[in-house]
Amino acid sequence: MSTFNDTFLRAARGQEVTHTPIWYMRQAGRSQPEYRAIKEKYSLFEITHQPELCAYVTRLPVENYGVDAAVLYKDIMTPLPAIGVDVEIKSGIGPVIHNPIKSVQDIEKLGMIEPEEDVSYVLDTIKLLTTEQLNVPLIGFGGAPFTLASYMIEGGPSKNYHKTKAFMYQEPAAWHALMDKLAEMTIRYTTAQVKAGAGTIQLFDSWVGTLNVQDYRAYIKPHMEKIFAALKELNIPLIMHGVGAGHLAKDWNDLPLDVVGLDWRLSIEEAREKGVNKTVQGNLDPSLLLCDWHMIEKHVKPILDAGMKHPGHIFNLGHGVFPEVQPDTLKKLTAFVQEYTAR
C-alpha cells in the first residue's frame, strides 16, 4: 500500500492541507461501466453481502478518479432488517417497507441491532479495505433517524412526507420513542463501522429539509445531539448532510460534529454568514456534470475560492452522482480541484 493520504481527515478537522480534498457522494457505482457490468450479475443486496466484491466497488472510484476518500458501498437501509423492518430495495422505486409503522405498538415490536452478528459482512468489507486495499480514509455512514423513519412510516419513498409529519405532530410520545430507537441503532451500527476501520462517519438526513427550524429543534435535534455526542467519543471526524436543508445549517453547526454538508442551494459564503464556522463540505449542483467542461469550471472555481478563504473545506457535490455522468468528467474534475487548490 502506498503512502496514506490523510488530506480529507485534516480538512475535516480544520487543519492545514496541501490541497482541497475531494470525494463524491455515490461515487461508487451507478455511473461506472465496471459497476454496471457487476450489476448485470448481482443485486445491491448480493454485492454488499460479499466483502471482496463490495470492497472492489468501494475502492474503484479511488483508483479511477484519484479522489481523497472512499465511501463504503451500501445503502442506508442496511441495518433496518436487523431491528425487524421488512425492507426490499425495488429497482426504479427504491426502498419499499412491507410492515410500515402505524402505531406505538409497531415501534415497541422493533428490536435492536447487534452489528457483529447482524451486519458482519459490512464490518468484514471495512476491515478488508482499511487493512489491505486503501491509501485514503474510508467514510462509513448511516441514515439519520428522521430519514429512516420517513421510509418506515410512508412505506417507501415520498414526495411530501405527509404521513410522517402527521405522525410526528399527532403522536409525539410515539415519535420520540421511534427516534430514540433509531438513534440507538445508528450509534451501535456506526460505532461498529469505526471499530472495524472506518476513518469517519457521515450521517445522511436526506429528507429532513422538509421540516422547518422550529420542528427540527423540537422533534429531531435532541436525538441528533445524542448520536453525535456518543460518536464523538470515537475521536473521528463526523459529517452531517441533507438535501434542501440549508435552513438547518446553523443548527447542524451547533451539534457536536466536525463537518456541515451543504447542497447547492446554500453557498459557502451564505453558510459562513449564517454562523457556520466548522468545516463545510460541498457543494456543486450535480446537474452541472452533464455540461461541457467550460461551464463546469465556471461554477467550480467560485466554490473553491470561497472554500479556501477559511480553513476547512471538502469539495463534493450537493447530492450524489447520478447514472448519466461520464466517469471521465469526474476524473477531470478531481484533478482540477486538486491542482487549482494546491498550496
Side-chain angles (χ1 to χ4, degrees):
M1 201 185 293
S2 55
T3 308
F4 189 74
N5 170 8
D6 69 347
T7 314
F8 165 84
L9 295 175
R10 293 180 63 80
R13 294 188 171 109
Q15 297 168 348
E16 289 295 317
V17 290
T18 53
H19 65 268
T20 299
I22 174 171
W23 71 282
Y24 306 103
M25 287 178 281
R26 291 183 181 155
Q27 65 187 14
R30 300 183 108 196
S31 71
Q32 297 178 295
E34 298 95 332
Y35 171 75
R36 285 207 281 265
I38 291 168
K39 278 285 281 185
E40 287 175 12
K41 297 180 187 174
Y42 304 102
S43 67
L44 182 149
F45 180 87
E46 289 168 332
I47 295 169
T48 56
H49 279 69
Q50 297 180 60
E52 291 275 0
L53 189 57
C54 190
Y56 170 71
V57 172
T58 299
R59 74 171 192 268
L60 202 55
V62 180
E63 296 169 358
N64 287 0
Y65 308 144
V67 288
D68 295 291
V71 59
L72 189 61
Y73 174 80
K74 62 184 176 63
D75 192 87
I76 62 170
M77 297 289 125
T78 299
L80 291 184
I83 67 168
V85 180
D86 184 1
V87 58
E88 178 186 1
I89 308 290
K90 286 198 174 180
S91 182
I93 299 173
V96 175
I97 309 288
H98 297 294
N99 57 339
I101 298 287
K102 294 178 179 173
S103 67
V104 69
Q105 287 78 18
D106 294 331
I107 297 165
E108 287 167 354
K109 286 178 193 168
L110 296 173
M112 188 42 65
I113 192 168
E114 299 295 341
E116 287 74 13
E117 296 167 24
D118 297 323
V119 289
S120 57
Y121 54 93
V122 172
L123 308 183
D124 289 343
T125 304
I126 293 171
K127 288 169 190 170
L128 191 59
L129 283 160
T130 56
T131 59
E132 297 178 24
Q133 300 183 358
L134 289 176
N135 68 331
V136 296
L138 176 66
I139 301 167
F141 69 88
F146 177 85
T147 293
L148 294 176
S150 77
Y151 286 105
M152 292 165 69
I153 294 169
E154 302 284 343
S158 171
K159 287 189 169 70
N160 48 48
Y161 309 97
H162 291 329
K163 288 181 188 173
T164 306
K165 290 160 84 171
F167 189 90
M168 182 181 80
Y169 293 129
Q170 191 72 34
E171 305 281 353
W175 174 264
H176 284 293
L178 178 58
M179 290 294 99
D180 204 49
K181 185 147 279 193
L182 292 174
E184 181 59 33
M185 180 198 77
T186 301
I187 291 166
R188 290 190 183 199
Y189 177 50
T190 52
T191 296
Q193 290 180 50
V194 175
K195 288 183 175 174
T200 186
I201 291 292
Q202 174 160 310
L203 286 193
F204 286 90
D205 215 346
S206 306
W207 314 134
V208 78
T210 190
L211 298 181
N212 64 36
V213 171
Q214 291 73 25
D215 288 344
Y216 182 81
R217 290 173 182 166
Y219 295 101
I220 309 299
K221 196 172 181 181
H223 304 285
M224 300 308 295
E225 285 172 338
K226 175 185 171 181
I227 293 171
F228 283 117
L231 297 183
K232 201 76 182 161
E233 301 291 312
L234 300 171
N235 197 30
I236 46 114
L238 304 170
I239 309 170
M240 185 74 234
H241 187 78
V243 182
H247 58 296
L248 303 176
K250 180 63 174 72
D251 281 87
W252 289 354
N253 190 78
D254 297 338
L255 294 169
L257 50 77
D258 303 275
V259 183
V260 176
L262 305 174
D263 78 1
W264 62 94
R265 297 170 182 86
L266 181 70
S267 72
I268 291 173
E269 291 98 328
E270 289 169 320
R272 296 298 187 203
E273 286 165 11
K274 280 176 178 263
V276 175
N277 57 12
K278 294 183 174 177
T279 293
V280 291
Q281 179 175 275
N283 60 342
L284 186 72
D285 186 336
S287 303
L288 281 157
L289 296 176
L290 293 183
C291 297
D292 60 37
W293 177 250
H294 172 75
M295 187 56 62
I296 295 172
E297 188 179 304
K298 179 183 171 184
H299 284 82
V300 169
K301 279 183 178 178
I303 294 170
L304 296 175
D305 290 340
M308 285 189 285
K309 284 179 184 171
H310 304 269
H313 177 220
I314 297 163
F315 185 86
N316 207 314
L317 309 175
H319 201 15
V321 175
F322 51 97
E324 295 80 7
V325 176
Q326 292 299 313
D328 284 348
T329 302
L330 294 176
K331 187 174 182 178
K332 187 171 184 178
L333 176 55
T334 305
F336 176 77
V337 168
Q338 291 166 339
E339 289 160 16
Y340 183 80
T341 61
R343 42 234 200 231

